């Protein structure tokens, strides 16, 4: 139906429109195009048939391409990274797989193995029988068949399946000769399988997919499995070579450690031979014993010297008290003795004598002298009284006890002062002397870090037992402490003795005064006794004898003081020398002991290092002996039964669909242009 007629019928009453003023409605255009397509259906089917035939012909001309897939897994090493290298990363493994060296080895292996594959097929007639027989023979049996020149192909043939063996034998020799690294690399590809780590961050083994593309499934299987086998061998060569390098390095370190250990042991032996610590200890003990003996003797002599000086001073004081112009103050003139009678009165009383600057002895002598003169005149009166001889003896004994107590008191006070000064000096030395000696030993930081990194329990236990610092009591401090304790005990004892002596002297003074009063009363009341005068004369003679003895004692005491001073000087020299020798030997002993401890600490460190290296060397030997592979062909490639290229059905349907759409589009465009021009 014409568009002009349709327009005239729809508007009969209207005026006729010009061609430029006609409007094409969309629904009318679509119906016109569909009608045109239907009219041209034979042409469309003809075009589709021609394109389909050409497409099928072209697809049949394109050769089929098969792709085989194998999975290779990289396992973590059994030994530590110090013994065996860490597994290769996925990127490194992919680069190694795609390297020209590995592809070249693949080409060379197939070229060398092809003649033997043909020979095996002819020998065993069928591929299945040949593959079964080769697997039964194993790598050793196949190597004997191949001979020494091509024995390295034994592992390759032991892994071949029947399909691979048949594909290898059927390879065209010219095709193999045309293979190049660049050409064969395009047929090989690999990709990694990305595995997500768990929440515990478990270390997973890398997995690689190896692909090979060929014009037959068996050939693709042969290429990819051979490629995987060569990668496995190459990987093992790399890791085993690194393991051998590690072994050689550890062996060298272990030998150096053994040499260092022997050298350290020799150094300790030589040091002990040059420094006899036991002999030094015996010398220290001997010098210390001599020092203590000299010190005790020195203290004793100083005490004797102090007593002698005090005694000399007392004697000199006593002689000075009893001397007047070089004459004993108790001397009585003969005229005075002759003139004494019974009516003689007492010339001087005790009160009249008065205080004397020379002490009590002079007063006693003067009083005795006066009383003798008095009692010469009062002899009868004295005879009628009780005897005073016993009282005088008791007084004399008390006076001796008093003097002895006073001497001991003064000696104790001097000794107490000496002990106080000695304690102060000893306390000052003890304050400046350290109580403890701190000994250190070093553990190399590298050994600690290595033990923590490797995580071996034995190493951690050993390092945990390492003592980084030890304190030891200073022997000199101990000796000073013992001396201090002894001096404190002696000081306490001396203080108690001085306190007791002070009480005793006070008591003696009271008793002496009481006896003197009694003696004076007895002399007054016993005037009738005749022997009273004799007693007083005897007392006067005794005092004279004491005076003479005191003068002799002064000379003897002076000589004794000189002797004691000489002995003290000699003892001081011996004490100083002995102490200096003991300190020198002690210093040498401390230095030698510290040096020996340092050598022993170094020996233990070298021993631990040698033991650790020995353990590592044993692990390295085990790693070399086992020759374990860290890479494995997890899933060998199977023979693909369907080609992946070209996808004929998909391509045919796609091309037919595109042809139909294109034809209909062209026809629709042609009809639309015609309608627009009409």
């Amino acid at each position: 139906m014409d568009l002009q007629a349709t327009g005239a019928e729809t508007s009969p009453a209207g005026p006729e429109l010009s061609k430029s003023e006609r409007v094409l409605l969309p629904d009318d255009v679509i119906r016109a195009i569909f009608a045109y397509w239907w009219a041209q259906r034979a042409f469309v089917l003809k075009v589709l048939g021609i394109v389909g035939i050409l497409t099928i012909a072209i697809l049949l001309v394109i050769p089929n391409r098969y792709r085989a897939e194998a999975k290779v897994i990289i396992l973590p090493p059994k030994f530590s990274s110090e013994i065996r290298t860490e597994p290769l990363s996925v990127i490194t493994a992919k680069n190694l797989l795609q390297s020209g060296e590995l592809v070249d080895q693949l080409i060379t292996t197939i070229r060398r193995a092809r003649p033997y594959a043909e020979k095996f097929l002819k020998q065993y007639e069928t591929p299945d029988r040949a593959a079964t027989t080769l697997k039964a023979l194993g790598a050793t049996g196949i190597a004997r068949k191949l001979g020494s020149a091509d024995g390295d192909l034994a592992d390759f043939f032991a892994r071949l399946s029947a399909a691979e063996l048949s594909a290898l034998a059927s390879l065209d020799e010219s095709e193999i000769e045309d293979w190049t690294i660049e050409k064969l690399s395009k047929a090989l590809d690999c990709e990694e399988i990305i595995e997500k780590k768990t929440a515990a961050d478990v270390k997973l083994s890398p997995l690689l997919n190896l692909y090979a593309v060929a014009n037959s499934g068996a050939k693709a299987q042969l290429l990819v499995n051979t490629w995987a086998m060569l990668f496995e061998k190459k990987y093992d060569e790399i890791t085993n070579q690194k393991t051998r390098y590690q072994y050689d390095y550890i062996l060298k370190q272990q030998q150096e450690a053994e040499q260092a250990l022997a050298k350290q042991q020799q150094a300790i032996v030589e040091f002990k031979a040059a420094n006899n610590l036991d002999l030094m200890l015996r010398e220290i003990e001997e010098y210390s014993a001599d020092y203590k003996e000299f010190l005790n003797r020195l203290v004793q002599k100083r005490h004797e010297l102090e007593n002698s000086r005090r005694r000399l001073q007392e004697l000199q004081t006593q002689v000075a008290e009893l001397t007047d112009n070089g004459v004993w103050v108790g001397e009585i003139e003969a005229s005075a003795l002759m003139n004494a009678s019974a009516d003689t009165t007492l010339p001087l009383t005790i009160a009249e004598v008065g205080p004397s600057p020379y002490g009590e002895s002079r007063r006693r002598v003067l009083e005795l002298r006066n009383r003798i003169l008095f009692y010469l005149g009062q002899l009868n009166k004295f005879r009628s009284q009780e005897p005073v001889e016993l009282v005088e003896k008791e007084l004399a004994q008390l006076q001796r006890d008093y003097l002895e107590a006073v001497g001991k008191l003064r000696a104790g006070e001097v000794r107490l002062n000496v002990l106080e000064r000695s304690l102060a000096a000893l306390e000052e030395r003890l304050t400046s002397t350290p109580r403890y000696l701190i000994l250190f030993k070093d553990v190399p930081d590298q050994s600690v870090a290595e033990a923590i990194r490797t995580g071996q329990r034995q190493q951690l236990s050993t390092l945990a037992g390492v003592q980084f610092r030890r304190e030891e009591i200073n022997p000199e401090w101990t000796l000073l402490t013992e001396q201090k304790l002894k001096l404190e005990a002696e000081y306490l004892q001396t203080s108690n003795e001085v306190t007791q002596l002070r009480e005793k002297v006070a008591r003696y003074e009271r008793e002496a005064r009481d006896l003197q009063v009694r003696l004076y009363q007895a002399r007054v009341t016993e005037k009738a006794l005749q022997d009273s005068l004799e007693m007083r004369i005897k007392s006067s003679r005794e005092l004279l004898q004491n005076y003479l003895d005191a003068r002799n004692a002064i000379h003897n005491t002076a000589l004794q003081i000189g002797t004691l001073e000489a002995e003290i000087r000699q003892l001081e020299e011996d004490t100083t020398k002995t102490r200096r020798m003991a300190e020198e030997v002690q210093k040498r002993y401390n230095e030698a002991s510290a040096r020996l401890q340092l050598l022993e600490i170094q020996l233990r460190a070298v021993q631990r290092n040698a033991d650790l290296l020995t353990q590592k060397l044993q692990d390295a030997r085990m790693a070399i002996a086992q020759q374990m592979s860290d890479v494995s062909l997890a899933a060998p490639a199977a023979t693909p039964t369907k080609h992946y290229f070209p996808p004929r059905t998909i391509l045919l349907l796609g091309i037919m669909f595109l042809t139909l759409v294109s034809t209909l589009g062209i026809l629709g465009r042609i009809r639309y242009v015609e309608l627009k021009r009409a």
Side-chain angles (χ1 to χ4, degrees):
M1 184 177 61
D2 196 345
L3 185 58
Q4 295 177 358
T6 304
E9 291 177 358
T10 55
S11 56
E16 187 177 355
L17 298 174
S18 62
K19 291 182 180 180
S20 59
E21 294 176 350
R22 293 174 184 170
V23 178
L24 298 177
L25 299 177
D27 294 339
D28 296 337
V29 172
I30 292 173
R31 282 196 298 269
I33 290 174
F34 271 101
Y36 185 72
W37 283 350
W38 179 253
Q40 297 292 331
R41 61 184 179 275
F43 174 75
V44 173
L45 292 175
K46 187 186 293 184
V47 172
L48 290 176
I50 294 171
V51 172
I53 292 170
L54 292 175
T55 301
I56 291 172
I58 293 172
L59 291 176
L60 291 175
V61 172
I62 297 175
N64 293 335
R65 308 296 291 174
Y66 294 85
R67 184 170 66 179
E69 176 184 352
K71 295 184 183 296
V72 175
I73 186 171
I74 301 176
L75 302 172
K78 179 181 178 181
F79 299 93
S80 64
S81 59
E82 296 180 354
I83 306 302
R84 193 171 179 88
T85 183
E86 290 286 345
L88 298 179
S89 63
V90 177
I91 297 176
T92 305
K94 288 176 65 177
N95 292 332
L96 180 61
L97 279 166
Q98 295 173 349
S99 64
E101 179 184 1
L102 207 60
V103 177
D104 184 63
Q105 290 180 6
L106 175 61
I107 297 172
T108 304
T109 301
I110 292 178
R111 286 177 181 175
R112 292 172 59 199
R114 180 183 171 281
Y116 292 106
E118 291 179 350
K119 180 180 177 181
F120 289 146
L121 287 180
K122 291 178 182 180
Q123 181 178 358
Y124 299 109
E125 298 178 356
T126 62
D128 292 335
R129 185 178 177 184
T132 304
T133 304
L134 292 176
K135 289 182 179 179
L137 289 174
T140 305
I142 297 173
R144 286 197 297 268
K145 281 182 170 293
L146 297 177
S148 59
D150 296 319
D152 55 338
L153 296 175
D155 292 334
F156 172 71
F157 280 106
R159 296 187 181 190
L160 290 181
S161 63
E164 291 174 317
L165 188 61
S166 177
L168 178 60
S170 62
L171 283 175
D172 189 3
E173 186 174 355
S174 61
E175 179 186 359
I176 298 176
E177 292 297 331
D178 292 339
W179 280 356
T180 61
I181 296 175
E182 293 78 8
K183 183 177 180 181
L184 193 59
S185 296
K186 296 178 181 179
L188 302 175
D189 193 13
C190 63
E191 67 177 6
E192 61 177 310
I193 297 177
I194 300 176
E195 296 178 336
K196 294 183 179 179
K197 293 186 177 181
T198 62
D201 197 18
V202 178
K203 186 176 182 181
L204 303 175
S205 301
L207 193 64
L208 295 174
N209 282 345
L210 276 61
Y211 301 100
V213 178
N215 54 9
S216 68
K219 184 177 177 181
Q221 180 187 9
L222 173 65
L223 290 175
V224 73
N225 286 338
T226 305
W227 191 29
M229 182 197 70
L230 294 175
F231 170 71
E232 184 177 355
K233 290 177 64 177
K234 185 65 176 178
Y235 188 96
D236 290 341
E237 288 178 4
I238 294 174
T239 54
N240 291 331
Q241 184 180 11
K242 180 62 181 294
T243 302
R244 286 192 294 271
Y245 288 158
Q246 292 289 84
Y247 172 76
D248 295 337
Y249 178 71
I250 293 173
L251 177 60
K252 182 179 179 181
Q253 282 190 328
Q254 195 269 342
Q255 292 174 351
E256 293 176 355
E258 291 293 338
Q259 294 176 359
L261 179 61
K263 184 178 180 181
Q264 191 68 23
Q265 291 174 345
Q266 181 67 25
I268 291 178
V269 172
E270 293 176 355
F271 183 81
K272 287 184 178 179
N275 301 272
N276 194 337
L277 297 182
D278 295 335
L279 179 61
M280 290 183 184
L281 283 176
R282 288 196 295 271
E283 290 181 358
I284 292 172
E285 292 176 357
E286 292 176 0
Y287 284 129
S288 299
D290 294 341
Y291 172 73
K292 291 179 181 178
E293 181 181 357
F294 287 142
L295 185 62
N296 293 332
R297 290 172 57 186
L298 179 61
V299 172
Q300 182 180 1
K301 292 298 181 181
R302 285 176 176 174
H303 181 66
E304 292 178 2
L305 177 62
E306 189 68 24
N307 291 336
S308 298
R309 287 176 176 174
R310 186 172 58 255
R311 177 63 177 166
L312 178 62
Q313 185 178 3
E314 292 175 356
L315 291 173
Q316 290 175 347
T317 303
Q318 182 179 357
V319 170
E321 289 176 355
L322 300 178
T323 303
D324 190 6
N325 296 325
V327 180
W328 184 49
V329 295
E331 187 71 23
I332 301 176
E333 298 178 356
S335 58
L337 292 174
M338 293 298 294
N339 294 327
S341 63
D343 298 332
T344 303
T345 58
L346 186 64
L348 291 175
T349 63
I350 298 175
E352 292 173 347
V353 173
S356 174
Y358 299 102
E360 188 66 23
S361 297
R362 183 181 181 89
R363 291 186 60 191
R364 286 182 57 208
V365 172
L366 292 175
E367 180 183 357
L368 184 60
R369 176 176 175 276
N370 293 332
R371 286 189 175 276
I372 289 173
L373 293 174
F374 174 76
Y375 286 127
L376 285 174
Q378 303 295 330
L379 181 60
N380 294 328
K381 295 182 180 180
F382 291 157
R383 293 176 180 175
S384 64
Q385 302 297 325
E386 59 180 347
V388 295
E389 184 177 0
L390 296 177
V391 178
E392 288 180 349
K393 289 182 179 181
E394 184 178 358
L395 178 60
Q397 181 63 36
L398 183 60
Q399 289 175 346
R400 286 193 295 272
D401 293 340
Y402 170 76
L403 293 176
E404 182 180 359
V406 170
K408 290 182 179 180
L409 176 60
R410 293 179 179 178
E413 290 175 349
V414 172
R415 184 180 179 186
L416 195 62
N417 293 331
V418 172
L419 289 176
E420 287 179 354
R421 291 193 297 272
S422 300
L423 277 174
L426 189 60
E427 182 66 28
E428 183 178 356
R429 288 187 59 192
L430 188 61
T431 304
S432 62
T433 302
R435 182 175 181 180
Y436 292 100
L437 296 177
I438 301 177
L439 305 178
F440 294 89
K441 63 178 179 181
D442 298 329
V443 177
D445 295 338
Q446 183 178 1
S447 299
V448 178
E450 193 68 26
I452 295 174
R453 186 177 67 84
T454 54
Q456 294 184 7
R457 296 183 178 177
Q458 182 179 2
Q459 297 176 4
L460 292 176
S461 301
T462 303
L463 288 177
V466 170
Q467 222 175 20
F468 294 93
R469 188 179 78 175
R470 179 166 64 87
E471 293 184 353
E472 182 179 284
I473 296 178
N474 191 351
E476 183 178 358
W477 182 88
T478 304
L479 179 61
L480 293 176
T481 304
E482 293 176 356
Q483 294 178 0
K484 179 183 176 182
L485 293 176
K486 291 181 180 179
L487 288 177
E488 287 178 348
E490 187 176 357
Y491 176 81
L492 181 61
Q493 182 181 0
T494 305
S495 178
N496 294 332
E497 292 177 356
V498 168
T499 302
Q500 294 176 0
L501 287 173
R502 286 173 180 171
E503 295 177 355
K504 185 182 290 187
V505 167
R507 187 176 71 251
Y508 284 165
E509 288 178 354
R510 291 193 301 270
E511 292 177 357
R513 286 194 296 270
D514 294 341
L515 284 176
Q516 286 176 355
V517 171
R518 179 182 173 187
L519 181 60
Y520 295 153
Q521 292 177 354
R523 286 176 178 175
V524 172
T525 57
E526 294 180 359
K527 296 177 182 180
L529 297 177
Q530 184 179 359
D531 54 347
S532 297
L533 178 59
E534 295 177 356
M535 186 184 304
R536 284 162 177 77
I537 293 174
K538 183 179 180 180
S539 299
S540 177
R541 291 175 180 175
E542 289 178 354
L543 291 175
L544 176 61
Q545 186 62 39
N546 291 336
Y547 168 76
L548 297 176
D549 293 341
R551 294 184 63 179
N552 294 330
I554 288 174
H555 177 71
N556 296 332
T557 305
L559 295 178
Q560 184 180 4
I561 289 174
T563 304
L564 288 174
E565 288 177 348
E567 292 179 355
I568 287 174
R569 285 193 297 270
Q570 184 63 38
L571 285 174
E572 287 177 347
E573 293 178 359
D574 294 339
T575 303
T576 304
K577 181 179 179 181
T578 306
R579 183 182 64 185
R580 184 173 62 254
M581 294 296 295
E583 290 175 351
E584 290 178 357
V585 177
Q586 182 68 46
K587 182 179 179 180
R588 287 193 292 110
Y589 174 79
N590 293 337
E591 293 176 353
S593 178
R595 177 61 179 169
L596 180 60
Q597 290 179 359
L598 178 60
L599 290 175
E600 291 176 347
I601 292 171
Q602 293 175 352
L603 176 63
R604 288 194 292 270
V606 173
Q607 182 68 53
R608 286 194 300 271
N609 187 32
D611 295 341
L612 179 61
L613 290 174
T614 302
Q615 181 64 34
K616 290 182 179 179
L617 183 62
Q618 292 176 356
D619 294 341
R621 285 175 179 170
M622 292 176 60
I624 292 176
Q626 292 181 6
Q627 291 292 326
M628 297 183 65
S629 177
D630 297 335
V631 67
S632 175
L633 186 58
T639 305
T641 57
K642 293 183 179 181
H643 62 84
Y644 82 99
F645 183 83
R648 291 187 175 89
T649 303
I650 296 174
L651 289 175
L652 180 60
L653 292 176
I655 292 173
M656 293 299 291
F657 177 75
L658 291 175
T659 302
L660 177 60
V661 172
S662 300
T663 303
L664 293 177
I666 293 171
L667 293 175
R669 178 63 178 173
I670 293 172
R671 183 57 181 162
Y672 177 76
V673 172
E674 290 177 353
L675 292 175
K676 192 173 182 181
R677 291 177 179 176

